[in-house]
Amino acid sequence: MIANHKGEIPFVVLLLPFLSGISLGIGFMTASYLPLLWSIFGGLSIAFIFLNLAYQRLAIYKNRWLGGVLIAFILFLAGCIAAINNNELNNGQHFSRWPAQYLSIKVTTEPQLKNGLLRFTATVGQSINNKQLKPVTGTLLVTIKDSAAISLQYGDELVIPAKYNPIDPPFNPGEFNYKKYLAHQNIYYQAFLYPEMYRVVMHGTGNPLIAFSLRLRQQMINRFKQQMHDPGAIAVASTLILGYKADLSTDILQAYSKTGTIHVLSVSGAHVAIIYILLQFTLGFLNGYRHGRVIKAVIIIALIWYYSLLSGFSPAVCRAAVMISMVIIGKTYARYINLLNILAVSAFALLLYNPLLITDVGFQLSYLAVAGLVVLQPVVYQWLEFKNKWANKVWMACSVSIAAQVITFPLSALYFHQFPVYFLLSNLLIIIPTSVIMYSGVAYLALSWVPLLSTLQARLLEYTILFMNKALAIIEHTPFAGIGKIWLTVPEYLLLYVIIISAFYYLYNKKIWLIKLSLASLLLFATSISLKRYRAENTHSIAFLNLRKNTGIVFKNGSSAIVLTNLADTDKNYKYSVQPYLDSAQVQHISIIGLGQNISSTWFKKRGALMQFYNKRLIIFDKHLQNQQLPGKLMTNYLYITGNPHTNLQEVNSNYGYQTLIIDGSNSSQTIERFAATAKTLSIHYKILKRNNSLITVSN
């Protein structure tokens, strides 16, 4: 639904400067800008009010653009101010600004147990220093390794030692930026606790409504476990219906992600729409009564928002709840509704509450997908015409999937680096199973006290989920099911959106300049990709990766690479740190060798601890070499210390000459300090990988 005039979508027009202001405030501005921003904001607001009061006297109607410019600047500044104020580090009472021995914290999320570790976020309410209490603020990520901690719940208050650390940034190229991800949730510090390091001082101090909702959700999950047997089916049911993702396995997540159906596992607008349709049908009898439509609207809106509460108030559900609430109100009072404007209203409301939602990938994908359905789907639907009713319904579903996939593709490629080739088949396949799962799941939860009926519903729910999982797994492993290793730069990402929007707008408006813009952008995009590929094909480099206590050295020769590591390619550390670097460097052919393995090729040779990469030499120095005495001094470019050898740098230097000393994270802190101190004294260039960025040297 494209608006005929901007007057139909006022909130879309108002949202754009507000979004720009939030983006600038998050990315580039600090609290030092606040006095200036507030001054300008106040001055422009006064000017706007004055111009409205003197509208006729000053003949402002002759320059109507002036009001629009002023309100745009006001909203832009409001976005900047909201983003800066929302950053907890800008608060003078943040706990990190004050010395403390202990912290009083309150659990603010549902604690989740995984791999023996209990993790939750908590707000810090007080710092305790020399028995003096001080009110503070801030959010802390807490991880506890203690079997007794499983009893902790939302709303519990704890006292913990004030031993916390900043979140580590990514140390290797291509790694997921967990520090940035948590910063966008206002989390900058984490604490790791063991038994006897914490004390529960109070229970149930959280929001009573949220606490009740979480308890109720856990009871419903337990109901699934009572009559369903497959853990994967239980996890999908809990996720799809209730938004509880803690039990999802990596295999299931991968199957849904690679087939372009990961949106099913996020309780979102589609799920809320299914609930809305069910409630509309169930409460349809109220239409025959006086004030029945109003009563039905109130009940449906209340139940939809309760479902939002039950799902944890995810941005996608809140957006859908706001939209559907406004649609219900509009239909109840027979008002015209522009869905694009309602979408903008919901975004505006959520961002006023929390400007950092703009950085949430789910929030971005959710709004883009719905905007694509509103704007692009009618254009796609007009491409083909079917007289057969069922063929037309199938094409309608296809047009929905195409529109959503096209508009979200650049963002998905930027974040997830892949494109599901069979997305159309996958999304068509899950339409019926998803509806069956939602309806049978809700019916099961409502009627679980009825013995035979609840058993039949549980079986239907479980078998439907197993069928859907199996079908998606088959599609996932079909040849050419996905295009991976898509690494876009920000300019390439923006060019893709210019191409898509201008091309679709041309189909709607038929203005020739739009197709010219699309083709010019396509040329720039192709040129950028080609240059990037050319540079990758003609670059030789050595990358010394930071893999904590493991070894990882990548010798890259164009699109080929040899990875020297003690990790298997199935290890999570390899997948998290090594593989992303290889993908971002556009490496197509990979050979993994162990530390004790020898190899010889035209561009790389390894014999024992000595390696030759083109004209560069490298020695891996570990405990096997610590007591050896060479007949002569061996000259190398890099000497790599690993495995915590019991020696000193003077003894090493008696056997080896080198340009750069590299010390990895497998060495103890004492060994690292000893080597670093000597290297500094001898003016030797050195690099410590432990808790530092990786070192990449380009050979050409």
Side-chain angles (χ1 to χ4, degrees), residues 528 530-539 556:
S528 177
S530 299
L531 288 174
K532 193 163 59 176
R533 177 58 61 88
Y534 175 80
R535 286 194 296 267
E537 291 281 355
N538 293 276
T539 300
K556 178 181 177 297

Side-chain angles (χ1 to χ4, degrees), residues 53 63 94 207 220 282-283 339-340 355 379 431 450 457-458 478 518 527 647 658 666 687 691:
L53 293 175
N63 299 285
H94 193 269
N207 184 297
M220 292 179 176
T282 306
L283 301 174
L339 292 180
L340 205 58
V379 178
I431 290 175
V450 182
Q457 289 168 338
T478 302
S518 183
T527 302
T647 186
Y658 49 87
S666 66
K687 170 72 176 181
R691 300 190 69 82

Side-chain angles (χ1 to χ4, degrees), residues 472-514:
L472 292 178
I474 291 172
I475 295 174
E476 177 198 0
H477 294 99
T478 302
F480 311 108
I483 300 172
K485 302 182 181 180
I486 303 173
W487 287 78
L488 300 177
T489 62
V490 173
E492 289 168 351
Y493 156 74
L494 295 174
L495 279 172
L496 270 180
Y497 269 117
V498 173
I499 293 166
I500 291 168
I501 293 171
S502 57
F504 271 85
Y505 195 36
Y506 170 77
L507 294 174
Y508 174 75
N509 211 330
K510 303 299 182 184
K511 290 185 177 179
I512 195 66
W513 68 269
L514 290 167

Side-chain angles (χ1 to χ4, degrees), residues 156 228 273 302 341 357 485 540 584 614 641 691:
D156 288 352
M228 296 173 66
N341 197 53
L357 283 175
K485 302 182 181 180
H540 312 310
S584 63
Y614 284 103
I641 306 291
R691 300 190 69 82

Side-chain angles (χ1 to χ4, degrees), residues 437-455:
I437 291 166
M438 285 297 296
Y439 288 133
S440 61
V442 171
Y444 169 72
L445 292 174
L447 302 173
S448 58
W449 53 275
V450 182
L452 181 60
L453 185 58
S454 64
T455 302

Side-chain angles (χ1 to χ4, degrees), residues 534-555:
Y534 175 80
R535 286 194 296 267
E537 291 281 355
N538 293 276
T539 300
H540 312 310
S541 63
I542 305 175
F544 301 93
L545 302 181
N546 178 352
L547 303 182
R548 277 70 179 178
K549 294 186 177 182
N550 298 294
T551 300
I553 306 175
V554 178
F555 302 88

Side-chain angles (χ1 to χ4, degrees), residues 105 107 109-111 118-122 140-142 144 152 158:
I105 65 173
V107 181
T109 58
E110 187 175 20
L118 191 76
R119 186 171 281 112
F120 56 86
T121 59
L140 187 66
L141 177 65
V142 181
I144 302 180
L152 291 177
L158 291 75

Side-chain angles (χ1 to χ4, degrees), residues 87-89 94-95 108-109 120-122 138-142 165-167 178-191 356:
N87 188 328
E88 290 185 356
L89 290 183
H94 193 269
F95 65 87
T108 53
T109 58
F120 56 86
T121 59
T139 306
L140 187 66
L141 177 65
V142 181
N165 297 301
I167 311 294
Y178 191 55
K179 180 184 178 74
K180 186 177 181 180
Y181 168 76
L182 289 179
H184 289 159
Q185 301 175 51
N186 256 328
I187 301 172
Y188 298 91
Y189 294 92
Q190 61 182 342
L356 287 178

